[in-house]
Amino acid sequence: MKLLENKVALITGASRGIGEAIAQKFAEHGANIAFTYLSSEEKAKALEEKLAAMGVKAKGYKSDAGDFKAAEQLANDVVKEFGTIDICVNNAGISRDNLLLRLTPEQWDEVMQANLKSVYNLTKQVMRPMMKARSGSIINMSSIVGIKGNAGQSAYAASKAGIIGFTKSIAQEIGSRNIRCNVIAPGFVETDMTHYLKGDEAEKWFKDIPLGRFGKTEDIANAALFLASDMGSYITGQVLSVCGGMTQ
Ligand code: NAP
């Protein structure tokens, strides 16, 4: 059974990693896909072709998630091209890991802009078509680091914790319009972002993960599918940790 037939999904940061897996999963379930990237031009083109070959409409947009004006332009372009926006996944994010003693103001700002301001930027824009349709699902990608913290990741953790407070507030603001807003908090997932976690370093973390392995991008995509579809129609303002049991 296809769960997102003819829905329009806008996914940020889908040229690689978790976003790419979500785009593919949603397309498998019949959604038309608009997605963004920052610099991976070729990967975006390849994904566009892959999704189109699955029989859905697909278009990649080069758009900096941290830029308010760009988010406004993006939402307008997507509505023009696709007719509406039913699902928005604020997935784009970066990490700039450093102990606080060495963390520069520039690094702090860069992380906040890409991870937290980005969620404000696009959520504000997609609310309009969703309010018009009196329906919508917004999914914001946090991290278990936003719940637990992690040494060397204070900026990243603060940005991801901010997403949780933002989401819970928005869920209260727009629930009456039948727009849901939830968070996914992944644990460690095998992507470019975690490429440094290999060998002994990975083994150390496995001890803290009850399921004894890192997550796969598809694990996160399955959770996103659940929250995006009518399977999650009575769920809003929640944080779904997809982390092999790291947070309980
Ligand atoms: P990734 O492999 O590094 O991919 C990041 C994606 O975001 C790329 O498509 C990148 O585009 C895009 N991006 C980065 N900055 C952007 C910006 N300013 N504007 C638009 N797009 C931008 O990351 P990932 O591991 O898939 O992570 C995806 C999300 O999950 C992030 O929010 C991350 O914090 C969160 N997360 C990841 C893990 C994990 O273990 N991997 C765990 C918890 C949470 P380009 O290809 O063009 O650079």
Side-chain angles (χ1 to χ4, degrees), residues 90-95 111-112 114-116 118-119 140-147 153-167 183-186 193:
N90 286 306
N91 167 77
I94 57 169
S95 59
V111 170
M112 288 300 158
N115 292 4
L116 183 56
S118 59
V119 177
N140 297 327
M141 204 56 70
S142 178
S143 164
I144 54 150
V145 169
I147 298 170
Q153 289 200 300
S154 57
Y156 183 79
S159 71
K160 294 299 185 181
I163 288 176
I164 295 174
F166 175 83
T167 303
V183 164
I184 294 177
M193 194 178 268

Side-chain angles (χ1 to χ4, degrees), residues 44-57:
K45 204 81 216 127
L47 179 64
E48 220 179 65
E49 284 165 13
K50 199 169 178 179
L51 299 175
M54 293 165 80
V56 301
K57 182 169 172 158

Side-chain angles (χ1 to χ4, degrees), residues 115-158:
N115 292 4
L116 183 56
K117 181 155 182 267
S118 59
V119 177
Y120 156 78
N121 288 344
L122 196 58
T123 303
K124 195 170 160 70
Q125 298 303 331
V126 300
M127 269 169 56
R128 226 160 287 163
M130 290 181 177
M131 280 162 95
K132 206 167 151 203
R134 292 195 71 82
S135 149
S137 176
I138 300 165
I139 299 167
N140 297 327
M141 204 56 70
S142 178
S143 164
I144 54 150
V145 169
I147 298 170
K148 277 162 65 88
N150 193 24
Q153 289 200 300
S154 57
Y156 183 79

Side-chain angles (χ1 to χ4, degrees), residues 92-123:
I94 57 169
S95 59
R96 297 284 181 267
D97 300 347
N98 224 340
L99 293 172
L100 184 56
L101 275 174
R102 288 197 284 267
L103 188 70
T104 65
E106 291 75 23
Q107 287 174 321
W108 174 271
D109 288 345
E110 207 183 341
V111 170
M112 288 300 158
Q113 182 106 356
N115 292 4
L116 183 56
K117 181 155 182 267
S118 59
V119 177
Y120 156 78
N121 288 344
L122 196 58
T123 303

Side-chain angles (χ1 to χ4, degrees), residues 12-20 36-41 43 63-66 90-95 113-115 141-145 156 160 184-194 217:
T12 65
S15 45
R16 297 181 279 127
I18 291 170
E20 181 181 10
T36 72
Y37 61 97
L38 188 60
S39 57
S40 299
E41 209 92 45
K43 286 184 177 157
S63 180
D64 183 348
N90 286 306
N91 167 77
I94 57 169
S95 59
Q113 182 106 356
N115 292 4
M141 204 56 70
S142 178
S143 164
I144 54 150
V145 169
Y156 183 79
K160 294 299 185 181
I184 294 177
F188 291 101
V189 182
E190 291 164 357
T191 67
D192 293 345
M193 194 178 268
T194 50
T217 54

